[in-house]
Amino acid sequence: MAYSFTQVSNYLRCPRSYRYRYLDGWKEKETRAAMVFGRCFENALGAYFRGEDCGAALFQEWGAYRDAAFEYRKGDTWDRLVHQGVHLLERFAQDNRVRIHSPKTNLQIKILQTLTGGSEFVSYLDAIGEVDGVRCLIDWKTTTSRYPQDPEGLLSLDPQLICYSWISGISEVALVVFVRKHAPEIQYLRASISEEQRREFGRLVETTINQIEAGHFNPHSGIRFPQNGCVSCSHLGLCLNNEQLVAANLIRKAGASDLDWLDELVD
Ligand code: SF4
């Protein structure tokens, strides 16, 4: 079995949801415009670092979805997203704070680790490069709201960055956040992940996988006001036996998808 950060975090959020998704094959339909746009934007960033026309790359990638039946957030449209994207790419080039040497090898880096017991853990790091002259692993995010920065050090608790630090052994991490709002903004956030955090994450991965392989899939609904995890869970229709919700949100495919890492591109 190969596991990923998305799988482990899905199990920790709700083991029953994990079973629906990865054992029974109920996958969320890809209807969120923001998620697909985030993937197109990442490809345009790749073009930027290869010295190509990144605006044209974004138009080409996102152009393939011009007539797709996506769900857009309030006020968003296909055109609005592409204009925000081009604006962000221009701002990113002007800022000139990120360097990627050898983009062919330092973008979308696949790292595989064999775990005790023979399972594998796979991660795709967005990039390894320099942010403000400091070598670090880099994660891109496209979002509509700023990443919270207070209190100081908050980013060092980000589980996805800890995971990437654990699998790569790189302690310096950075999140480059492309904020799609009326006046687009880019946040360049850096943090250090300690050796202890990496060790703890490794233990968390091992114990989580033990639970999965032992077949423990109890629901973890967390139905208490105000944070009801079930409301945003794509598997809610299965838990409620609501066929309408199932048809609206899910498609069924056999087994786990090897494209799961794509879920990690946007929040
Ligand atoms: S609806 Fe709630 S209990 Fe059911 S899978 Fe989702 S999070 Fe778990």
Side-chain angles (χ1 to χ4, degrees), residues 175-233:
L175 198 57
V176 179
V177 188
F178 296 89
V179 191
R180 295 193 297 104
K181 53 182 189 173
H182 184 62
E185 180 188 354
I186 305 174
Q187 293 175 282
Y188 300 87
L189 310 171
R190 286 201 290 109
S192 296
I193 307 297
S194 68
E195 182 60 39
E196 175 61 12
Q197 284 177 291
R198 282 192 288 278
R199 267 201 303 272
E200 282 172 350
F201 189 82
R203 285 198 292 271
L204 181 67
V205 167
E206 298 275 354
T207 52
T208 305
I209 289 173
N210 286 345
Q211 293 283 309
I212 292 169
E213 295 185 349
H216 296 163
F217 300 112
N218 292 319
H220 184 173
S221 57
I223 45 171
R224 296 302 299 270
F225 181 85
Q227 290 179 327
N228 184 341
C230 294
V231 173
S232 58
C233 176

Side-chain angles (χ1 to χ4, degrees), residues 13-14 16-17 20 219-221 229-230 233 235-236 239:
R13 183 176 60 82
C14 176
R16 179 61 50 87
S17 173
Y20 286 144
H220 184 173
S221 57
C230 294
C233 176
H235 297 126
L236 181 60
C239 283

